Amino acid sequence: MATAYDLVIRNADVATASDRFRCDIGIRDGRIAALGANLDAGAEEIDAAGMLVLPGGVDAHCHLDQPMPEGMRMADDFFTGTRSAACGGTTTVIPFAAQEKGGSLRAAVEDYHRRADGKAVVDYAFHLIVADPTPQVLNEELPRLIREGYSSFKIYMTYDDLKLSDHEILKVLTVAREHKALVMIHAENSDCIAWLTERLNDEGHTAPKYHAVSRPMAVEREATHRAITFSELADVPILIVHVSGREAIEQIRWAHGRGLPIYAETCPQYLFLSEQDLGGEGYHGAKCVCSPPPRDIGNQRAVWDGLAGGVFSVFSSDHAPFRYDDAEGKKLGGKEQPFQYIPNGIPGLETRLPLLFSGGVMEGRIDVHQFVALTATNPAKMYGLYPRKGSIMIGADADIVLWDTRRKVTIANALLHHDVDYTPYEGRTVQGWPVLTLSRGKVVSRDQAFAGEMGSGRFLPCGAPQVPRLQQGKSI
Ligand code: URP
Ligand code: ZN
Ligand code: ZN
């Protein structure tokens, strides 16, 4: 006998960014076909009694198999990275197709598709990284790529091989305004970092902990303010990525007070790690070297307040996977490196949601609706994937996660599914874990084990960004 649905999830306690309701969820052809009581039978059925049912996470800032300078390599490709995402409750990832200086953006996109095709296990879109905004890129490549579904791009104010001048940033913002794209900005002052690094080197300070000393809050605060000024001049919204602490948040609040459309993202490392994790004089701190660096407890509090109070729209992992004990990773060339040569970035795709759920929802700092908004709905909206992704509603893709809010897990790298040889959160106990993840109605992870299929993830062209409304004088 034909059944009404391919799959029915019974007794779901659903939470979205705005609502909480009990229902059965009927899934047909990978989409949510019905929400209601006592739905007809499905070919398969799952009983969600006792579980919280949330939309699959959208990780809008992660780096997978990104081409690196000679000798350096990211540990995760699209298979291992998305496998890890699925096991952590994330069903959409948005990594970066990165232009090289002197190279074409179109070529970077084509190369990146080859890296993802046949490997991803959950759906994916691409941001672009614009490293060389030549007239050809600004006038031809970018407008075409935006029309084809690459409607967001990241630009850098630091890193020699990626950074843009102020003049170049303004030109990129002008293209974004004209063609309705969203620019993500990495805000750190490059010259200040270079000067501080020289001074530290002259004093013989090379250990990983000096990474944080070379990139103090002031360096991020200044660049954040400058980025806000560029947005105001070009009259276009921007999103400031990986905001690490109080002084940058103050700049963003100041912008909100002036009614400026400045959006902001933060990441687990600014809530759960601190400069102490960069270590003493030993090398283990290299595991936590990322930019901006983790700061102190006071800054962690400021980031929590920013999440609760609406300064941030998006919570991403910034998963940037380099192995610790590896000549292509943190021990580049097979040896311990002075801090400025340690590959920047830490892994976090799989731990993003459990850490925020535990520290945020279970500890009462944010509610479950804020959790869903920050980790799924807002990123889907801001990057043009809503309503297909980021919510539980009729017609949306059946990207759904069952959360066991009672389950306590002590994070250990051995439990995770990335290809990195460490997690910075080793030994930390969290409460609340995703126990079943569905991607377009198919189980991709069950009980902390991968259950999906390599290559089942699809590329998602992005529409125009839908930015949330900010109230003048108040972050919402
Ligand atoms: O240290 C970091 N964040 N590495 C990844 C690249 C970036 O700037 O996001
Ligand atoms: Zn960055
Ligand atoms: Zn990043």
Side-chain angles (χ1 to χ4, degrees):
M1 197 184 73
T3 48
Y5 305 104
D6 303 325
L7 173 66
V8 174
I9 302 174
R10 300 274 174 208
N11 307 307
D13 174 9
V14 176
T16 67
S18 53
D19 299 299
R20 187 139 182 194
F21 49 93
R22 284 187 184 274
C23 66
D24 298 340
I25 304 174
I27 296 166
R28 199 184 304 122
D29 298 330
R31 294 195 176 217
I32 298 174
L35 299 170
N38 306 315
L39 293 185
D40 288 345
E44 282 180 61
E45 304 231 342
I46 292 170
D47 185 4
M51 299 289 147
L52 189 57
V53 178
L54 306 183
V58 176
D59 196 337
H61 184 161
C62 56
H63 303 266
L64 299 175
D65 200 10
Q66 196 174 308
M68 287 287 111
E70 186 70 26
M72 201 189 282
R73 197 174 65 84
M74 285 200 166
D76 282 315
D77 64 10
F78 273 82
F79 175 59
T80 59
T82 56
R83 177 181 68 185
S84 184
C87 294
T90 287
T91 49
T92 302
V93 295
I94 320 183
F96 297 85
Q99 182 197 17
E100 274 178 48
K101 281 205 194 285
S104 129
L105 202 44
R106 167 72 62 186
V109 169
E110 285 169 3
D111 169 64
Y112 213 44
H113 273 292
R114 284 190 289 275
R115 292 167 188 256
D117 274 359
K119 284 199 170 169
V121 308
V122 298
D123 292 349
Y124 57 96
F126 294 166
H127 303 295
L128 309 173
I129 289 176
V130 180
D132 198 0
T134 59
Q136 156 83 2
V137 166
L138 292 170
N139 302 328
E140 291 172 37
E141 291 196 342
L142 264 179
R144 268 204 208 121
L145 286 164
I146 294 166
R147 277 198 297 279
E148 289 170 28
Y150 309 88
S151 57
S152 48
F153 25 97
K154 183 173 177 190
I155 56 176
Y156 287 81
M157 297 168 85
T158 186
Y159 297 140
D160 288 343
D161 49 346
L162 292 169
K163 71 179 178 196
L164 304 189
S165 69
D166 295 354
H167 188 213
E168 289 173 319
I169 293 174
L170 284 161
K171 286 191 191 172
V172 172
L173 292 179
T174 308
V175 174
R177 183 180 196 283
E178 193 177 332
H179 297 278
K180 298 197 172 36
L182 182 62
V183 179
M184 310 156 76
I185 301 190
H186 179 133
E188 287 185 296
N189 181 312
S190 186
D191 282 344
C192 293
I193 295 167
W195 177 75
L196 286 163
T197 302
E198 260 167 35
R199 281 185 21 150
L200 287 163
N201 283 178
D202 289 348
E203 289 159 9
H205 295 315
T206 59
K209 70 175 181 181
Y210 294 105
H211 173 76
V213 183
S214 74
R215 304 176 101 98
M217 196 69 232
V219 161
E220 186 183 343
R221 179 195 70 215
E222 184 281 329
T224 302
H225 187 86
R226 196 154 30 103
I228 291 167
T229 307
F230 299 153
S231 157
E232 186 176 6
L233 290 175
D235 188 23
V236 67
I238 56 167
L239 184 138
I240 304 191
V241 290
H242 44 49
V243 173
S244 74
R246 184 173 54 78
E247 293 181 29
I249 291 171
E250 283 167 358
Q251 300 305 309
I252 295 162
R253 284 194 203 276
W254 173 83
H256 290 174
R258 291 167 61 97
L260 298 172
I262 305 299
Y263 298 91
E265 170 205 79
T266 193
C267 313
Q269 44 274 37
Y270 307 116
L271 297 174
F272 298 98
L273 300 178
S274 77
E275 59 202 357
Q276 306 293 324
D277 293 298
L278 269 74
E281 293 296 327
Y283 199 67
H284 275 270
K287 292 177 178 173
C288 295
V289 164
C290 61
S291 297
R295 308 224 180 254
D296 61 15
I297 303 298
N299 280 295
Q300 288 181 358
R301 274 197 215 110
V303 176
W304 276 117
D305 288 348
L307 280 169
V311 170
F312 295 106
S313 302
V314 179
F315 186 77
S316 310
S317 69
D318 194 7
H319 180 87
F322 296 100
R323 290 199 192 99
Y324 172 68
D325 212 354
D326 195 307
E328 293 176 312
K330 298 281 184 181
K331 293 186 185 164
L332 206 54
K335 54 181 199 290
E336 297 182 358
Q337 291 288 340
F339 68 85
Q340 72 268 34
Y341 301 120
I342 299 171
N344 275 212
I346 60 176
L349 263 170
E350 195 165 346
T351 44
R352 173 182 75 120
L353 296 177
L355 283 167
L356 186 67
F357 191 88
S358 184
V361 181
M362 297 308 294
E363 303 269 332
R365 293 178 170 114
I366 57 173
D367 66 29
V368 71
H369 308 293
Q370 288 171 298
F371 174 81
V372 173
L374 287 160
T375 58
T377 315
N378 289 350
K381 287 184 175 171
M382 300 206 66
Y383 298 114
L385 294 171
Y386 189 84
R388 182 170 176 190
K389 302 293 185 188
S391 193
I392 293 184
M393 62 168 92
I394 291 175
D397 282 352
D399 290 1
I400 295 172
V401 183
L402 271 53
W403 280 79
D404 183 346
T405 60
R406 288 172 302 261
R407 185 174 296 200
K408 289 196 174 149
V409 174
T410 300
I411 297 173
N413 201 49
L415 294 176
L416 303 180
H417 298 81
H418 58 200
D419 218 356
V420 187
D421 58 356
Y422 76 95
T423 165
Y425 308 108
E426 186 80 31
R428 188 181 292 264
T429 300
V430 292
Q431 182 171 347
W433 199 269
V435 290
L436 188 89
T437 306
L438 298 173
S439 165
R440 277 182 284 102
K442 297 268 180 283
V443 175
V444 287
S445 112
R446 192 193 295 272
D447 281 329
Q448 295 179 253
F450 176 59
E453 205 182 300
M454 182 149 135
S456 61
R458 290 189 195 151
F459 173 69
L460 303 161
C462 296
Q466 296 171 41
V467 289
R469 198 171 52 84
L470 293 165
Q471 282 173 9
Q472 188 156 9
K474 184 172 178 291
S475 308
I476 52 165

